[in-house]
Amino acid sequence: MITLYDYLPSQNAWKVRQLFKLLDQSYQQEFVSIFEGEGHSDAYRAINPWGAVPAIRLEDGRVLSESNAILWYLSEGSPYRPVDRFEAAKVMQWLSFEADYVQTSVGSLRYWALTDKLDTRSPELIAGKRAIAERALAILDDELKSRPFIAGESMTIADISLFAYAHRANEADIATNALPSFLAWTDRIRAHRDFLAEMHPYSIDPHSSGEL
Ligand SMILES: N[C@@H](CCC(=O)N[C@@H](CS)C(=O)NCC(=O)O)C(=O)O
Protein backbone atom coordinates (compact mmCIF):
# COMPACT_ATOMS: atom_id res chain seq x y z
CA MET A 1 0.00 0.00 0.00
CA ILE A 2 1.21 3.53 -0.75
CA THR A 3 2.21 5.70 2.22
CA LEU A 4 1.27 9.39 2.22
CA TYR A 5 3.50 11.62 4.34
CA ASP A 6 0.88 14.03 5.55
CA TYR A 7 0.20 17.08 7.68
CA LEU A 8 -3.52 17.59 8.06
CA PRO A 9 -3.78 21.41 7.66
CA SER A 10 -1.71 21.25 4.46
CA GLN A 11 -3.79 21.96 1.37
CA ASN A 12 -0.94 20.54 -0.71
CA ALA A 13 -1.51 17.26 1.10
CA TRP A 14 -5.29 17.67 0.68
CA LYS A 15 -4.73 17.51 -3.10
CA VAL A 16 -3.31 14.01 -2.75
CA ARG A 17 -5.99 12.88 -0.28
CA GLN A 18 -8.62 14.18 -2.72
CA LEU A 19 -7.14 12.26 -5.63
CA PHE A 20 -6.91 9.04 -3.60
CA LYS A 21 -10.61 9.45 -2.86
CA LEU A 22 -11.50 10.05 -6.51
CA LEU A 23 -9.51 6.97 -7.47
CA ASP A 24 -11.04 4.94 -4.63
CA GLN A 25 -7.48 3.94 -3.73
CA SER A 26 -6.45 2.91 -0.21
CA TYR A 27 -3.34 4.41 1.34
CA GLN A 28 -1.73 4.71 4.73
CA GLN A 29 -0.72 8.00 6.36
CA GLU A 30 2.41 8.93 8.24
CA PHE A 31 2.10 12.30 9.88
CA VAL A 32 4.99 14.74 9.79
CA SER A 33 4.94 17.41 12.50
CA ILE A 34 6.42 20.12 10.26
CA PHE A 35 6.34 22.87 12.89
CA GLU A 36 8.30 20.69 15.31
CA GLY A 37 11.04 20.21 12.75
CA GLU A 38 10.26 16.62 11.77
CA GLY A 39 10.38 17.59 8.11
CA HIS A 40 14.02 18.54 8.48
CA SER A 41 15.17 15.35 10.16
CA ASP A 42 17.69 13.29 8.19
CA ALA A 43 15.13 10.50 7.96
CA TYR A 44 12.48 12.71 6.35
CA ARG A 45 14.96 14.53 4.11
CA ALA A 46 15.73 11.14 2.58
CA ILE A 47 12.05 11.10 1.56
CA ASN A 48 11.77 14.75 0.50
CA PRO A 49 15.06 16.71 0.37
CA TRP A 50 13.11 19.98 0.85
CA GLY A 51 11.55 18.68 4.05
CA ALA A 52 7.94 19.43 3.12
CA VAL A 53 4.75 17.41 2.84
CA PRO A 54 3.23 15.84 0.89
CA ALA A 55 5.41 12.95 -0.21
CA ILE A 56 4.56 9.36 -1.00
CA ARG A 57 6.38 6.07 -0.62
CA LEU A 58 5.47 3.37 -3.12
CA GLU A 59 5.17 -0.31 -2.20
CA ASP A 60 8.67 -0.90 -3.62
CA GLY A 61 10.20 1.81 -1.42
CA ARG A 62 10.65 4.55 -4.05
CA VAL A 63 9.65 8.01 -2.87
CA LEU A 64 8.15 11.01 -4.64
CA SER A 65 7.50 14.56 -3.46
CA GLU A 66 5.97 17.80 -4.79
CA SER A 67 2.19 17.63 -4.72
CA ASN A 68 1.70 18.15 -8.44
CA ALA A 69 4.22 15.46 -9.37
CA ILE A 70 2.39 13.10 -7.01
CA LEU A 71 -0.94 13.95 -8.67
CA TRP A 72 0.65 13.30 -12.06
CA TYR A 73 2.03 9.93 -10.99
CA LEU A 74 -1.12 8.68 -9.26
CA SER A 75 -3.53 9.79 -11.98
CA GLU A 76 -2.00 7.83 -14.85
CA GLY A 77 -4.69 5.81 -16.61
CA SER A 78 -7.50 7.61 -14.77
CA PRO A 79 -10.09 10.08 -16.11
CA TYR A 80 -8.25 12.86 -14.24
CA ARG A 81 -5.25 12.89 -16.61
CA PRO A 82 -5.78 13.01 -20.37
CA VAL A 83 -3.83 10.71 -22.66
CA ASP A 84 -3.78 13.03 -25.67
CA ARG A 85 -0.39 14.72 -25.85
CA PHE A 86 -1.68 18.28 -26.14
CA GLU A 87 -4.43 17.83 -23.55
CA ALA A 88 -1.92 16.33 -21.13
CA ALA A 89 0.41 19.26 -21.72
CA LYS A 90 -2.47 21.64 -20.98
CA VAL A 91 -2.92 19.90 -17.63
CA MET A 92 0.80 20.34 -17.01
CA GLN A 93 0.52 24.03 -17.94
CA TRP A 94 -2.06 24.58 -15.19
CA LEU A 95 -0.17 22.48 -12.67
CA SER A 96 2.84 24.74 -13.26
CA PHE A 97 0.63 27.84 -13.01
CA GLU A 98 -0.60 26.57 -9.66
CA ALA A 99 2.89 25.93 -8.32
CA ASP A 100 4.35 29.21 -9.57
CA TYR A 101 1.53 31.71 -9.04
CA VAL A 102 -1.21 30.34 -6.76
CA GLN A 103 0.56 28.23 -4.17
CA THR A 104 3.28 30.84 -3.63
CA SER A 105 0.82 33.73 -3.28
CA VAL A 106 -2.57 32.59 -1.96
CA GLY A 107 -0.93 29.67 -0.15
CA SER A 108 1.68 31.80 1.61
CA LEU A 109 -0.69 34.67 2.50
CA ARG A 110 -3.28 32.25 3.84
CA TYR A 111 -0.70 30.41 5.91
CA TRP A 112 0.64 33.65 7.40
CA ALA A 113 -2.87 35.00 8.06
CA LEU A 114 -4.12 31.84 9.76
CA THR A 115 -1.02 31.38 11.93
CA ASP A 116 -0.65 35.06 12.97
CA LYS A 117 2.54 35.69 11.02
CA LEU A 118 1.44 38.56 8.77
CA ASP A 119 2.83 41.15 11.21
CA THR A 120 6.28 39.61 10.97
CA ARG A 121 6.40 39.87 7.14
CA SER A 122 7.31 43.09 5.34
CA PRO A 123 4.47 45.13 3.80
CA GLU A 124 6.31 44.99 0.46
CA LEU A 125 6.42 41.19 0.54
CA ILE A 126 2.73 40.97 1.41
CA ALA A 127 1.75 43.51 -1.28
CA GLY A 128 3.79 41.64 -3.89
CA LYS A 129 2.17 38.33 -3.06
CA ARG A 130 -1.28 39.89 -2.97
CA ALA A 131 -0.77 41.36 -6.45
CA ILE A 132 0.27 37.95 -7.81
CA ALA A 133 -2.68 36.25 -6.09
CA GLU A 134 -5.20 38.73 -7.48
CA ARG A 135 -3.74 38.47 -10.97
CA ALA A 136 -3.72 34.66 -10.87
CA LEU A 137 -7.34 34.47 -9.68
CA ALA A 138 -8.46 36.98 -12.32
CA ILE A 139 -6.77 34.85 -14.98
CA LEU A 140 -8.55 31.74 -13.71
CA ASP A 141 -11.88 33.59 -13.79
CA ASP A 142 -11.23 34.72 -17.34
CA GLU A 143 -10.18 31.26 -18.53
CA LEU A 144 -13.15 29.58 -16.88
CA LYS A 145 -15.61 31.75 -18.82
CA SER A 146 -15.17 29.50 -21.84
CA ARG A 147 -15.06 25.98 -20.36
CA PRO A 148 -16.27 24.18 -17.23
CA PHE A 149 -12.86 22.98 -16.04
CA ILE A 150 -9.48 24.59 -16.34
CA ALA A 151 -7.99 22.19 -18.88
CA GLY A 152 -11.16 21.31 -20.79
CA GLU A 153 -14.57 19.73 -20.52
CA SER A 154 -13.91 17.44 -17.56
CA MET A 155 -12.26 17.64 -14.17
CA THR A 156 -8.55 16.85 -14.11
CA ILE A 157 -5.73 16.92 -11.59
CA ALA A 158 -5.15 20.55 -12.63
CA ASP A 159 -8.54 21.46 -11.14
CA ILE A 160 -7.77 19.57 -7.93
CA SER A 161 -4.45 21.31 -7.62
CA LEU A 162 -5.75 24.82 -8.31
CA PHE A 163 -8.81 24.39 -6.12
CA ALA A 164 -6.75 23.48 -3.05
CA TYR A 165 -5.56 27.02 -2.30
CA ALA A 166 -7.55 29.19 -4.70
CA HIS A 167 -10.91 28.41 -3.10
CA ARG A 168 -9.49 29.47 0.30
CA ALA A 169 -8.39 32.90 -0.96
CA ASN A 170 -10.85 34.65 1.38
CA GLU A 171 -8.81 33.29 4.30
CA ALA A 172 -5.93 35.35 2.90
CA ASP A 173 -8.25 38.39 2.73
CA ILE A 174 -8.44 38.18 -1.06
CA ALA A 175 -11.96 38.76 -2.33
CA THR A 176 -13.37 36.46 -5.01
CA ASN A 177 -16.96 37.76 -5.10
CA ALA A 178 -16.30 39.66 -8.35
CA LEU A 179 -15.06 36.46 -10.06
CA PRO A 180 -18.29 34.67 -11.09
CA SER A 181 -16.76 32.10 -13.42
CA PHE A 182 -14.16 31.20 -10.82
CA LEU A 183 -16.88 30.79 -8.17
CA ALA A 184 -19.04 28.68 -10.49
CA TRP A 185 -16.00 26.43 -11.06
CA THR A 186 -15.47 25.98 -7.31
CA ASP A 187 -19.14 24.97 -7.04
CA ARG A 188 -18.70 22.42 -9.84
CA ILE A 189 -15.78 20.85 -8.02
CA ARG A 190 -17.64 20.78 -4.71
CA ALA A 191 -20.57 19.10 -6.49
CA HIS A 192 -18.47 16.09 -7.53
CA ARG A 193 -19.84 13.02 -5.75
CA ASP A 194 -16.37 12.18 -4.43
CA PHE A 195 -15.42 15.68 -3.37
CA LEU A 196 -13.31 15.56 -0.21
CA ALA A 197 -14.93 18.20 1.96
CA GLU A 198 -12.84 17.39 5.01
CA MET A 199 -10.10 19.99 5.45
CA HIS A 200 -8.29 20.85 8.64
CA PRO A 201 -7.52 24.25 10.24
CA TYR A 202 -4.04 25.12 11.49
CA SER A 203 -5.61 25.51 14.92
CA ILE A 204 -5.60 21.72 15.38
CA ASP A 205 -1.79 21.97 15.65
CA PRO A 206 -0.60 23.73 18.84
CA HIS A 207 2.82 24.20 17.20
CA SER A 208 1.61 26.01 14.08
CA SER A 209 2.38 29.48 15.43
CA GLY A 210 6.09 28.65 15.12
CA GLU A 211 8.21 29.22 12.02
CA LEU A 212 9.01 26.46 9.56
N1 LIG B 1 5.78 22.85 -3.79
C1 LIG B 1 5.50 21.93 -2.73
C2 LIG B 1 5.21 22.72 -1.47
C3 LIG B 1 5.06 21.83 -0.26
C4 LIG B 1 4.93 22.65 1.00
O1 LIG B 1 5.32 23.84 1.09
N2 LIG B 1 4.40 22.01 2.02
C5 LIG B 1 4.27 22.65 3.31
C6 LIG B 1 2.92 22.32 3.92
S1 LIG B 1 1.63 22.94 2.86
C7 LIG B 1 5.35 22.12 4.23
O2 LIG B 1 5.42 20.94 4.49
N3 LIG B 1 6.24 23.01 4.68
C8 LIG B 1 7.30 22.63 5.56
C9 LIG B 1 8.61 23.24 5.16
O3 LIG B 1 8.70 23.86 4.08
O4 LIG B 1 9.55 23.08 5.93
C10 LIG B 1 4.36 21.00 -3.11
O5 LIG B 1 3.58 21.36 -4.01
O6 LIG B 1 4.24 19.91 -2.56
Side-chain angles (χ1 to χ4, degrees):
M1 190 182 290
I2 293 182
T3 301
L4 170 63
Y5 294 91
D6 204 344
Y7 171 72
L8 289 177
S10 166
Q11 285 300 106
N12 280 315
W14 174 88
K15 297 173 188 173
V16 182
R17 280 181 241 129
Q18 169 65 90
L19 183 59
F20 275 130
K21 180 164 183 184
L22 290 167
L23 299 175
D24 196 21
Q25 184 172 342
S26 306
Y27 62 99
Q28 58 192 10
Q29 285 161 298
E30 264 195 41
F31 294 103
V32 183
S33 185
I34 56 176
F35 287 97
E36 289 186 286
E38 276 183 21
H40 295 280
S41 65
D42 290 345
Y44 190 69
R45 279 213 175 111
I47 294 162
N48 178 356
W50 192 256
V53 297
I56 58 170
R57 181 188 293 281
L58 308 183
E59 289 89 341
D60 65 8
R62 288 180 297 170
V63 289
L64 184 64
S65 52
E66 291 296 324
S67 58
N68 290 340
I70 296 169
L71 295 182
W72 187 262
Y73 172 78
L74 292 174
S75 61
E76 190 186 48
S78 81
Y80 306 104
R81 180 175 141 189
V83 177
D84 174 81
R85 183 180 177 186
F86 186 78
E87 288 175 19
K90 272 285 165 195
V91 169
M92 184 56 81
Q93 173 189 322
W94 290 108
L95 291 173
S96 300
F97 183 94
E98 192 275 341
D100 285 350
Y101 310 127
V102 177
Q103 204 184 111
T104 55
S105 62
V106 181
S108 298
L109 290 170
R110 172 182 174 268
Y111 156 53
W112 296 337
L114 297 181
T115 59
D116 293 326
K117 298 186 178 94
L118 278 176
D119 288 347
T120 64
R121 270 45 179 190
S122 77
E124 295 77 17
L125 178 64
I126 292 171
K129 290 207 179 266
R130 171 173 285 277
I132 294 170
E134 287 171 351
R135 183 172 162 200
L137 294 176
I139 288 170
L140 290 177
D141 186 59
D142 201 41
E143 292 286 324
L144 288 160
K145 286 185 171 81
S146 60
R147 53 188 185 278
F149 294 98
I150 197 62
E153 293 303 310
S154 61
M155 189 166 102
T156 68
I157 53 173
D159 297 286
I160 298 170
S161 179
L162 285 162
F163 179 88
Y165 287 102
H167 89 286
R168 311 294 292 251
N170 61 326
E171 292 174 331
D173 200 23
I174 296 162
T176 53
N177 52 331
L179 304 174
S181 302
F182 169 81
L183 291 175
W185 167 78
T186 62
D187 287 344
R188 275 192 288 282
I189 293 175
R190 281 196 192 88
H192 193 288
R193 70 179 184 285
D194 286 322
F195 174 64
L196 178 59
E198 188 180 38
M199 298 176 200
H200 305 269
Y202 283 102
S203 56
I204 63 168
D205 179 1
H207 307 285
S208 64
S209 58
E211 291 290 345
L212 289 169

